[in-house]
């Protein structure tokens, strides 16, 4: 880790509080709560460098980093950080892939990774030769909680450790020493994440599956939640689970016989919240904001947590949402779970430290894992893996991306008559509705009930009649109160769907926050661009091949490098300059613009249509001047298209079909990447006085730096476009899919050139999985334009259009 003291008192006084982090006298340099000098690196050959745990202890902040698969140790470190943000690499560091942490009250020790740290900051180590594996969780002991603790590894290694002597007893060997080395013999699934003890059992979760069929079929169960009574294992549910904890949090439950245990996971329908209370398990479903965490292998989730942050409620992170989680959540009182905001960072752990929240992140992977699209060009991954901490004030949890969520209780599946669905979260969103469909030859009644107060007081809400093989949209007004909602049908259905679509009010405007002043506008005729990439070979620098862009031409300016001091210096290195231009070149041919919309063709040849921003960006899009796709947080990408940034899941997590818009900026951004936990953008035209813009020592090159979650402040998602704009349409042939999810106010206009009326059928893909349902049919008279405004909270992924006769058709949408 680079320890650099950069700012004098006078310079620090000029720092602006970004990301809720105030400027403090004599504070190190930071941008939006990211301190470049605190970046963590491991060996240059390692494909990932994440943050496994962050814990305040003995007057310091303790941090462990991890590599991707190192059950016997690695170059990763244990860090000790002081109040003035000086960091020390502890000499006891042995690395590995750790994410476990627990404070043991009786012995006054922090167990973090393979380390035991006492109240005087003395560090003892449990060698991987004695306790091999990737440690993922600690638990209080079932029989001797004062004298022993449990360790669990990601490959089903379970150990009993004496807190005084650190003597290790192997209960179940880690599977890394067995043939295969991934899935252990004890339980189905693999890739263990969380574990916790209470109610006389140990509960353990894994979130992956190794079988090729599960990789192809998201509806096939992956992972499991299981419990151990000290002798035998019992599988509780065959789905992907991550966190397991209780109201005692990092200390363990104070009343282990009676305190509840919680576990959060997911399936292809929604998030899953499991509650163990009184020896019984209960299931609740919640919305997903982001699908970038999906994937049968489980690698796309780091360590979601439910943790105390100095507030009455706990903070839960799961599938891109910051959740308010009541510490009192139990079978008799399930009220209070609320979305706070959505985020883009990949967070391994978080804590409250002094007056700030600290998020340990997983920012830049060298390998980019399985997310290797052709549109990335020749270069795959950064030169060296790296991550950082993100410091914020607590209020930021309510000021990032607006809440957004969708999830199903049934998704095209068999349902028995009168069978109540699982309870699904009903509270916390301004706009709500449900997509309902079935495939029966007769009409079906769907009856909904709500639990009004989270105490099991279910009351009838509404009954919806859905015609044979039909679809219905059920608006659920904000005035309807309740904590949970459930549904049943009056007849058996072979294929029924109930998918809830929720969103919060997006109060953003088209105006960008002043921190983005200087990013070149769509109307800019000349600006500074360039290709950027974090370097490898232990150099720990960023390099830039700077250009000056005029219209569709780009001229070389020079080669530059930047280090932890965030000084952009011109370097005379023609070889590195040419290498960067060749290997990081922006690919062409994957994105085009026509009269209707922006068009992306994926690796399988599928065409997808996206909204257009400022018309001036037509000449800038898809011609090698603006990068389209890059991984900026581990295992998920940013997509840049015609003035809008999108979150793009890996192909194994839904891929392009499950993108969501983040912001519309209408700027001439040339390139972007992550470096030392910062988001780096090129495409500068002005911005003097904006400390987020770093200019080169010769004044001829510039970049913008901040955090990826600053993008929420760059402008509300908006745009115009559609599947057809005076397009020759064939009767009965569907248009290309056009993106609909994540936008606020949505209107479509339909017209044609036929001499007789034309029926337009609007079909929607509600889940982003290619299952299309008929939303509405509109008959448009000759020479007329029909306009339809979609309901608030209506967020299917894609829309497409079909006409009943050949014509030159227009179906254009406007999102505001």
């Amino acid at each position: 880790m680079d320890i650099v003291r950069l700012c004098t008192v006078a310079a620090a006084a000029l720092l602006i509080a970004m990301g809720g982090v105030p400027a403090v006298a004599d504070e190190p340099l930071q941008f939006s709560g990211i301190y470049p000098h605190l970046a963590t690196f491991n060996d240059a050959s390692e494909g990932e460098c994440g943050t496994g745990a962050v814990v305040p202890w003995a007057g310091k902040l303790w941090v462990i980093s991890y590599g991707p698969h190192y059950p016997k140790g690695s170059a990763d470190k244990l860090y000790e950080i002081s109040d003035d943000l000086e960091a020390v690499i502890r000499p006891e560091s042995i690395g590995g892939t750790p994410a476990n942490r627990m404070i043991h009250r009786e012995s006054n020790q922090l167990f973090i990774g393979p380390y035991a740290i006492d109240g005087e900051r003395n560090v003892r180590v449990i060698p991987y030769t004695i306790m091999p594996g990737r440690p993922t969780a600690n638990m209080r002991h079932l029989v001797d909680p004062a004298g022993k603790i449990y360790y669990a590894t990601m490959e089903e290694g379970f150990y009993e450790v004496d807190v005084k002597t650190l003597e290790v007893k192997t209960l179940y060997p880690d599977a890394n020493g067995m043939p295969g080395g991934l899935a252990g013999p004890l339980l189905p699934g693999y890739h263990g994440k969380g574990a916790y003890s209470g109610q006389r059992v140990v509960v353990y979760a894994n979130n992956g599956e190794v079988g090729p069929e599960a990789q192809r079929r998201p509806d096939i169960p992956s992972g499991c939640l299981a419990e151990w009574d000290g002798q035998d294992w019992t599988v509780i549910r065959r789905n992907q689970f991550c966190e397991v904890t209780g109201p005692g949090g990092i200390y363990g439950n104070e009343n282990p016989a009676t305190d509840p245990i919680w576990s959060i996971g997911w399936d292809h329908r929604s998030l899953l919240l499991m509650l163990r209370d009184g020896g019984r398990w209960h299931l609740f479903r919640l919305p997903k904001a982001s699908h970038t965490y999906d994937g049968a292998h489980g690698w796309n989730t780091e360590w979601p947590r439910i943790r105390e942050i100095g507030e009455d409620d706990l903070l839960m992170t799961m599938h891109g949402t910051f959740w308010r989680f009541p510490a009192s959540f139990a079978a008799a009182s399930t009220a209070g779970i609320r979305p706070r905001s959505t985020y883009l960072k990949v967070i391994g752990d978080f804590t409250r430290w002094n007056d700030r929240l600290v998020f340990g992140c997983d920012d830049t992977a060298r390998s980019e894992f399985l997310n290797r699209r052709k549109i990335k060009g020749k270069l795959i991954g950064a030169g060296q893996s790296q991550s950082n901490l993100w410091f914020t004030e607590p209020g930021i949890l309510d000021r990032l991306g607006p809440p957004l969520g969708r999830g199903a209780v049934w998704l095209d599946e068999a349902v028995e008559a009168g069978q109540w669905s699982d309870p699904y979260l009903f509270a916390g969103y301004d706009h709500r509705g449900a997509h309902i469909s079935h495939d029966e030859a007769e009409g079906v009644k769907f009856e909904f009930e709500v639990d009004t107060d989270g105490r099991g007081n279910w009351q009838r809400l509404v009954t919806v009649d859905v015609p044979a093989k039909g679809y219905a949209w059920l608006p659920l007004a904000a005035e309807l109160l309740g904590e949970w909602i459930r549904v049943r049908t009056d007849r058996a259905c072979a294929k029924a769907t109930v998918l809830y679509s929720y969103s919060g009010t997006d109060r953003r405007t088209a105006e960008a926050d002043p921190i983005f002043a200087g990013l070149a506008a769509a109307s800019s005729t000349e600006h500074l661009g360039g290709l950027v990439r974090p370097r490898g070979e232990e150099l720990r620098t960023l390099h830039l091949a700077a250009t000056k862009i005029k219209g569709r031409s780009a001229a070389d300016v020079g080669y530059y490098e930047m280090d932890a001091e965030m000084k952009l210096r011109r370097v005379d290195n023609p070889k590195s300059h040419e290498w960067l231009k060749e290997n990081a070149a922006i690919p062409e041919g994957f994105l085009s613009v026509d009269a209707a919309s922006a068009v992306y063709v994926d690796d399988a040849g599928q065409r997808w249509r996206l909204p257009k921003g400022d018309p001036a960006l037509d000449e800038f899009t898809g011609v090698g001047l603006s990068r389209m796709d890059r991984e900026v947080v581990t295992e998920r990408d940013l997509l840049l298209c015609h003035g809008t940034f999108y979150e793009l899941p890996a192909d194994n997590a839904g891929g392009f079909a499950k993108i969501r818009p983040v912001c519309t900026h209408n700027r001439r951004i040339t390139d972007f990447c992550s470096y030392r936990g910062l988001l780096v953008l090129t495409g500068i035209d002005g911005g003097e006085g904006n400390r987020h813009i770093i200019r080169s020592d010769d004044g001829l090159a510039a970049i913008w730096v901040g955090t990826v979650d600053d993008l929420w402040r760059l402008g509300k998602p908006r745009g115009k476009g559609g599947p057809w704009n005076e397009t020759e349409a064939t009767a009965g042939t569907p248009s290309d899919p056009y993106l609909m999810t994540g936008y606020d106010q949505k209107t479509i206009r339909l017209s044609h050139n036929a001499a007789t009326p034309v029926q337009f059928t609007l079909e929607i893909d509600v889940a982003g999985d290619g299952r299309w349902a008929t939303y509405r049919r509109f008959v448009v008279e000759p020479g007329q334009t029909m306009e339809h405004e979609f309901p608030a909270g209506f967020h299917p992924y894609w829309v497409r259009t079909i006409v009943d006769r050949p014509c030159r058709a227009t179906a254009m949408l406007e999102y505001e």
Side-chain angles (χ1 to χ4, degrees), residues 328-511:
S328 59
F329 189 84
S333 179
T334 62
I337 296 178
R338 299 290 186 272
R340 302 187 68 168
S341 64
T342 53
Y343 62 91
L344 299 171
K345 277 281 192 183
V346 172
I347 297 169
D349 196 14
F350 55 87
T351 189
R352 178 72 172 259
W353 190 41
N354 299 326
D355 60 343
R356 296 191 279 191
L357 297 180
V358 184
F359 296 95
C361 303
D362 194 344
D363 292 312
T364 309
R366 181 184 60 82
S367 65
E368 294 203 358
F369 295 90
L370 302 180
N371 200 6
R372 301 182 179 186
R373 298 181 175 90
K374 293 178 182 177
I375 50 178
K376 292 180 182 295
K378 293 183 180 180
L379 190 65
I380 297 178
Q384 186 167 355
S385 303
Q386 54 200 265
S387 288
N388 210 332
L389 304 175
W390 180 30
F391 292 77
T392 75
E393 53 90 16
I396 201 173
L397 296 175
D398 301 304
R399 299 198 305 268
L400 294 176
L404 176 71
R406 78 274 293 179
V409 290
W410 304 323
L411 199 57
D412 214 8
E413 59 196 270
V415 175
E416 296 179 6
Q419 169 191 327
W420 285 112
S421 71
D422 299 323
Y424 187 92
L425 186 66
F426 190 60
Y429 296 86
D430 300 319
H431 308 292
R432 300 173 300 193
H435 301 280
I436 310 168
S437 65
H438 68 88
D439 201 35
E440 295 302 301
E442 301 179 44
V444 177
K445 295 181 183 295
F446 289 75
E447 180 186 358
F448 292 82
E449 288 188 344
V450 292
D451 179 352
T452 56
D453 56 5
R455 299 184 182 276
N457 297 315
W458 292 95
Q459 296 184 8
R460 182 183 178 278
L461 179 65
V462 67
T463 298
V464 180
D465 293 313
V466 181
K469 299 183 182 295
Y471 163 87
W473 164 255
L474 171 64
L476 297 164
E479 293 76 22
L480 298 173
L481 301 180
E483 293 293 324
W484 304 94
I485 188 170
R486 66 183 184 182
V487 61
R488 65 181 177 183
T489 60
D490 69 335
R491 65 172 65 242
C493 298
K495 291 184 178 181
T497 291
V498 175
L499 185 145
Y500 297 96
S501 176
Y502 295 168
S503 60
T505 300
D506 193 342
R507 294 180 173 84
R508 293 176 291 174
T509 68
E511 296 298 318

Side-chain angles (χ1 to χ4, degrees), residues 679-707:
L679 175 67
V680 180
L681 305 176
T682 64
I684 308 300
D685 181 10
E688 287 74 10
N690 181 4
R691 63 176 301 270
H692 283 262
I693 292 181
I694 298 174
R695 300 184 186 278
S696 61
D697 52 2
D698 62 5
L700 300 178
I703 60 174
W704 181 96
V705 296
T707 181

